[in-house]
Amino acid sequence: MPNSDAPGFLLASISYLTAPGLVLFFMISGTLLLDNKLTMKEFLKRRLSKILFPTLFWTLFYLLVRYVDQRPSITAALTSMLSIPFSVQGHGVLWFMYVLVGLYLLTPILSQWLSRASKREVEFYLLLWGVTLLYPYLSMWLQINDSASGVLYYFAGYVGYYVLGYYLKSHYEYRLWHIIVALTVAVFVPLTLLLSGIKFDFYSALWYLSLPVAMMAFAIFELIMQLPNRQMAIAGQISRLSFGIYFVHIFIMRKILWNLDVVQSLPWLAQIPVIVLSTFLLSLFTSWVISRFRFSKYIIGV
């Protein structure tokens, strides 16, 4: 929100409860992509190009926006250009796409292993990945090395969600009590941290690579999988335009909506739904308009 005086607890709660949305995309991607028989060349040609060109386009777009806003030096601008794709450029929100590109590059290797791996072997990997999700809490009392020389370094990161999605599709049998335990952990951990008065970093203890967020994502994923399998035209259309919505939403929200007097004058209780709904609808409309152009696949992947 542009100038909100909303309670910090409320804003933190919204951030925490919506955090699974992003990692669910990694899980869904793993569900759909890791169980494939394509060669490396076929997979990268078919899938990587779908997100590579749009990511590059929007990286350059946000670099241009930054140049107009901040007027960086020629050296700084050139450094940003040459830093693609080694670090996120243009806007921080694009980090998600850079991670996704990395997962796509890894997919041909992972899919070959998973096609031969037993259920127990996949569970062994997920168990070690789960330990890395405990690092934010263990580091409160222990010395944890999460650098490249750490013993579990190669088991950490968003690839765990990618493999988890595959595992839930290929090996897991739904158990309601698993869902109850997962949601209990998701509630118990933040409440314990808050009530105990322990000082903690929100963006590690209760963020994407943390145990409670992983538990919420698991529960949501499995509950959705239990819903009747019905084709919904509107959901399919939104899904088709989802990359475009993600790419453009931050620009529409911060550069347009946040600068409107009518939005800034709203009380925080009204700002939240107004900004969320307006950002979504305008992003959806913008993506739909872009999709009508001939070269839209290079901009939003469709």
Side-chain angles (χ1 to χ4, degrees), residues 157-208:
Y158 294 100
V159 67
Y161 286 110
Y162 205 45
V163 176
L164 178 60
Y166 166 86
Y167 171 82
L168 293 177
K169 173 190 175 183
S170 304
H171 298 296
Y172 179 74
E173 295 183 8
Y174 175 79
R175 295 288 188 274
L176 179 59
W177 72 268
H178 289 176
I179 306 300
I180 296 173
V181 170
L183 293 177
T184 300
V185 171
V187 173
F188 176 79
V189 172
L191 284 181
T192 300
L193 290 173
L194 290 172
L195 297 177
S196 66
I198 297 175
K199 291 185 178 180
F200 65 93
D201 178 16
F202 178 87
Y203 289 104
S204 60
L206 299 175
W207 210 229
Y208 302 132

Side-chain angles (χ1 to χ4, degrees), residues 40-78:
M40 180 175 69
K41 182 178 180 180
E42 291 172 333
F43 176 83
L44 294 180
K45 182 179 180 181
R46 181 179 302 182
R47 300 299 308 183
L48 187 60
S49 60
K50 184 176 182 180
I51 65 171
L52 189 61
F53 292 111
T55 300
L56 179 60
F57 174 88
W58 289 99
T59 295
L60 296 176
F61 172 81
Y62 283 112
L63 280 175
L64 179 61
V65 172
R66 180 192 295 175
Y67 179 82
V68 172
D69 288 345
Q70 302 177 6
R71 299 287 180 174
S73 64
I74 297 297
T75 301
L78 184 60

Side-chain angles (χ1 to χ4, degrees), residues 1 4 6-21 202-203 206-208 213 216 268-269 271-273 276:
M1 290 168 282
S4 175
F9 177 78
L10 174 65
L11 299 179
S13 298
I14 292 174
S15 295
Y16 173 65
L17 294 173
T18 56
F202 178 87
Y203 289 104
L206 299 175
W207 210 229
Y208 302 132
V213 170
M216 277 196 290
W268 65 264
L269 195 59
Q271 272 189 359
I272 294 174
V276 168

Side-chain angles (χ1 to χ4, degrees), residues 5-251:
D5 56 354
F9 177 78
L10 174 65
L11 299 179
S13 298
I14 292 174
S15 295
Y16 173 65
L17 294 173
T18 56
L22 187 140
V23 299
L24 276 167
F25 191 93
F26 292 138
M27 293 173 64
I28 294 169
S29 297
T31 298
L32 298 175
L33 301 179
L34 284 175
D35 187 18
N36 74 81
K37 308 302 180 184
L38 300 175
T39 65
M40 180 175 69
K41 182 178 180 180
E42 291 172 333
F43 176 83
L44 294 180
K45 182 179 180 181
R46 181 179 302 182
R47 300 299 308 183
L48 187 60
S49 60
K50 184 176 182 180
I51 65 171
L52 189 61
F53 292 111
T55 300
L56 179 60
F57 174 88
W58 289 99
T59 295
L60 296 176
F61 172 81
Y62 283 112
L63 280 175
L64 179 61
V65 172
R66 180 192 295 175
Y67 179 82
V68 172
D69 288 345
Q70 302 177 6
R71 299 287 180 174
S73 64
I74 297 297
T75 301
L78 184 60
T79 300
S80 294
M81 293 289 293
L82 295 177
S83 296
I84 303 170
F86 303 107
S87 66
V88 178
Q89 301 298 313
H91 199 290
V93 75
L94 295 178
W95 75 267
F96 172 81
M97 300 307 301
Y98 280 69
V99 172
L100 195 60
V101 168
L103 291 177
Y104 276 21
L105 290 172
L106 191 59
T107 296
I109 300 170
L110 277 177
S111 59
Q112 289 295 318
W113 169 61
L114 290 170
S115 67
R116 297 172 175 81
S118 67
K119 177 182 178 181
R120 293 302 181 194
E121 289 171 334
V122 181
E123 288 175 343
F124 177 68
Y125 166 80
L126 290 174
L127 175 64
L128 296 180
W129 173 67
V131 173
T132 69
L133 299 180
L134 295 173
Y135 278 0
Y137 320 109
L138 295 176
S139 62
M140 296 177 184
W141 298 280
L142 305 175
Q143 296 179 6
I144 303 296
N145 180 6
D146 59 358
S147 70
S149 61
V151 65
L152 295 182
Y153 176 78
Y154 298 102
F155 295 87
Y158 294 100
V159 67
Y161 286 110
Y162 205 45
V163 176
L164 178 60
Y166 166 86
Y167 171 82
L168 293 177
K169 173 190 175 183
S170 304
H171 298 296
Y172 179 74
E173 295 183 8
Y174 175 79
R175 295 288 188 274
L176 179 59
W177 72 268
H178 289 176
I179 306 300
I180 296 173
V181 170
L183 293 177
T184 300
V185 171
V187 173
F188 176 79
V189 172
L191 284 181
T192 300
L193 290 173
L194 290 172
L195 297 177
S196 66
I198 297 175
K199 291 185 178 180
F200 65 93
D201 178 16
F202 178 87
Y203 289 104
S204 60
L206 299 175
W207 210 229
Y208 302 132
L209 293 174
S210 68
L211 183 64
V213 170
M215 292 293 98
M216 277 196 290
F218 158 73
I220 294 170
F221 184 94
E222 280 302 307
L223 289 173
I224 291 176
M225 291 292 286
Q226 303 312 308
L227 296 176
N229 185 17
R230 297 174 180 173
Q231 296 292 330
M232 294 183 292
I234 188 170
Q237 181 71 352
I238 294 173
S239 176
R240 176 174 170 269
L241 299 172
S242 60
F243 274 147
I245 294 171
Y246 186 82
F247 281 126
V248 77
H249 85 277
I250 202 71
F251 178 83

Side-chain angles (χ1 to χ4, degrees), residues 259-272:
N259 292 315
L260 296 178
D261 292 337
V262 64
V263 172
Q264 293 185 6
S265 63
L266 291 173
W268 65 264
L269 195 59
Q271 272 189 359
I272 294 174

